[in-house]
Amino acid sequence: MIGIPKTDTLAQSVISGVCFEGLTITTKDGKPAQLAVIDADGNIVESGAAVAKEAWNVTLAVYKNFLVGQGHLRIFSQPPGLNLNQDQAIAA
C-alpha cells in the first residue's frame, strides 16, 4: 500500500501518532483510552501503554523493513561524505 492510508475510520475511538511520542488513543469525545489484545474468547490478555508501544514499534519495524527491501533506506556507519581516514590525515 503506497500512499497515505485512510484514517479516522473507527466509530467510537481515535488513534493518533507522533513520530517522537508513539500512539495516543482517545474516545471520540477526547477522553483517554487504551489499546488491548483480546483473545478469541473475548478475554483481555494485555492492555494499556505497553500494548500501544509494542504496536508502534512493530509498525516502525515493518516500515523500516519495507524501506530497506525497496532500497529507499540506506544505513551508514558514518555520515555520508565524511571520510574519517582522509579527514584525520588532513588534520595531521
Side-chain angles (χ1 to χ4, degrees), residues 38-86:
I38 303 173
D39 69 14
D41 297 322
N43 300 308
I44 297 174
V45 295
E46 291 194 70
S47 65
V51 174
K53 184 173 183 177
E54 183 70 6
W56 180 255
N57 287 340
V58 168
T59 301
L60 289 177
V62 167
Y63 182 63
K64 287 180 179 182
N65 285 338
F66 166 76
L67 293 177
V68 170
Q70 297 297 315
H72 300 295
L73 181 65
R74 292 192 176 98
I75 309 301
F76 296 96
S77 60
Q78 65 186 26
L82 178 64
N83 184 335
L84 288 180
N85 292 333
Q86 180 182 10

Side-chain angles (χ1 to χ4, degrees), residues 11-28:
Q12 301 299 322
S13 57
V14 176
I15 300 175
S16 61
V18 179
C19 65
F20 54 87
E21 292 178 355
L23 297 175
T24 301
I25 303 11
T26 62
T27 60
K28 284 283 186 180

